[in-house]
Amino acid sequence: MEGRMQNFEELLADFRSKIEGAKYVAIDTELTGADIAGQTETFEDEVGERLSRLCDIAERHVLTQLGLTVARDHGTGIQFITYSVLCFPGTDRDSFECRPTALRFMRQHGLDLNAWVDGGVQYVCRETAEGSWYNVGDDPPEQCGLLRLWHALIKSERPLVFHTPLDLLFLLSAFECRTLPRNPQDLTTLVKNIGGIGIPCIFDTALLHLVVPALQAKPQKLLELTRTAQAVWQQALQNEAAADVNFTLEERTQQRYGQQLEVGLGPGNNDSSCCSTGAHEAGFDSLLTAMLFMYLWAISGTDKVNLFRDRLFLFQSAECLPLKNLPSGDPGRGAFDFLDGTVLVATMSAESRDVSMRTIAGGGHERCFYRKMDESRLLVFVHGKNDQEIVEHTRELAVQMPGVFWEGLDAWRNSVMQRRAAAWQANGNAARQQTPLQDLLQQQVQKHQQQQHQQQQQQQQRRPQPQML
């Protein structure tokens, strides 16, 4: 169902009726910008640094479109009901940034910018409206616009599913507080206490797909990943290694997206950017996210899926953003913590990187997979059911990749933090007093060293990384 200012009351009533008893809700957004010029993401970033950048993006830009897909039990399967709402900032916001590339991208994928301005449902932030426009604890009144839909979603206490964390941060900045907390623990507190209710649990399919070995080899765009997950599920079902699931689309969802879904997920379509598929329209992408979660759940089962609850994907990172307060050294902070194997950093010449990537890919996803770090480094995850198998697989890789220097992820992180601290020291002079930032960098080095020690003492059952080769 498509929503604009003219039919928002009808959409809201329909959403409220459908959300009751839903299994989960998948969400996607379209935005006036998804990055900030001059800022880049690297594997050297700390989680706090990355969160701060994502919050900057969410605070400077605004929503243009909100897509929600409600997944409900329906007979012996699941029914998907999709809503796509044009959104426009309300009276509590007098300016925002708009990236030209983002506007061009949205136009290329069918967004009517005139309709966005003229018919977008306005929204205000809870911190602005609550206490002045309505009493704390009450339902937001009509003048709050799209905040009422968000409030209904939070009141339903359903699990929420995203594909990357930026959508969640945009929603928090739009509907809860303009200035977002930069500390992961403070962000967790916000998420778990929204409206005095909080979001019970969140899943991020950009991270969750790691639960399926056949999907680990490389991160993929949403449409490609959903198509691949569907094929893996079909094969696993034939081998009696996955749950049998079937789904239907609610009538209006079928009319709006049925043909696009058939084109996008049909055999022989490998174009994830094809406009005819509906990709990058918020409603369609929320439907894909809902389906992807269904397939991952059917392949892996509830226990494995729950390992990834309240953990958000971070691009160009070996860590994730946990929306739970974890003691230092506990599993769950690393993106690969719940996989059988170990994480290594492979350093090589830029000229040999492509050959190295082909060698790793040729070994098969059941043995290893990689992520590009920079022009001379790869992050390599080596599978193994026990220490001996991990070391064996790593030695085989090393033999096939001569001239590559291998080190454990923790050792590489410590060297990065020491190099950063030393660089700050070198930029000053002996007489200059140490700055708070230098103190912070040294604290981060000490923190990594403490975490490494705690992992050895508190998590003895976890497999140690193989010795450097």
Side-chain angles (χ1 to χ4, degrees), residues 376-419:
S376 61
R377 291 183 181 87
L378 298 176
L379 189 80
V380 183
F381 186 89
V382 180
H383 283 288
K385 296 179 180 179
N386 52 55
D387 297 344
Q388 181 179 353
E389 192 170 83
I390 293 171
V391 172
E392 178 184 337
H393 289 171
T394 306
R395 290 189 184 280
E396 289 174 358
L397 267 181
V399 170
Q400 298 176 61
M401 298 165 61
V404 173
F405 175 75
W406 298 86
E407 58 185 327
L409 179 61
D410 286 337
W412 177 80
R413 281 175 173 159
N414 281 335
S415 66
V416 167
M417 297 311 304
Q418 290 167 356
R419 186 174 70 250

Side-chain angles (χ1 to χ4, degrees), residues 11-51:
L11 181 144
L12 179 60
D14 190 79
F15 179 79
R16 283 171 171 163
S17 69
K18 299 298 194 303
I19 194 69
E20 293 299 325
K23 298 177 74 67
Y24 59 89
V25 181
I27 301 175
D28 185 80
T29 61
E30 298 301 324
L31 320 160
T32 61
D35 58 8
I36 295 177
Q39 291 191 359
T40 58
E41 299 170 328
T42 76
F43 278 86
E44 295 189 0
D45 294 338
E46 289 283 307
V47 170
E49 293 177 283
R50 187 65 60 82
L51 175 59

Side-chain angles (χ1 to χ4, degrees), residues 334-346:
F336 312 105
D337 276 0
F338 298 115
L339 306 184
D340 291 329
T342 194
V343 188
L344 302 173
V345 175

Side-chain angles (χ1 to χ4, degrees), residues 24-28 50-51 54 159-169 187 192 199-212 215 219-222 225-226 285 288-294 296-297 300 304-317 319-324 332 334-335 338 371:
Y24 59 89
V25 181
I27 301 175
D28 185 80
R50 187 65 60 82
L51 175 59
L54 291 172
L160 302 186
V161 183
F162 297 90
H163 190 73
T164 74
L166 197 55
D167 298 304
L168 172 63
L169 294 176
L187 180 67
K192 296 302 181 181
I199 302 172
C201 64
I202 292 173
F203 294 96
D204 185 344
T205 53
L207 182 68
L208 180 59
H209 79 273
L210 289 174
V211 76
V212 180
L215 302 178
Q220 298 166 300
K221 295 180 180 178
L222 178 59
L225 192 56
T226 307
D285 283 357
L288 287 178
T289 302
M291 294 181 63
L292 175 56
F293 182 73
M294 175 189 69
L296 296 176
W297 192 357
S300 305
K304 287 186 178 180
V305 166
N306 275 333
L307 291 174
F308 289 82
R309 66 184 290 163
D310 292 330
R311 300 173 69 216
L312 302 178
F313 170 79
L314 293 175
F315 179 67
Q316 287 286 90
S317 179
E319 298 184 75
C320 65
L321 177 60
L323 292 178
K324 57 182 74 174
F338 298 115
R371 300 284 188 266

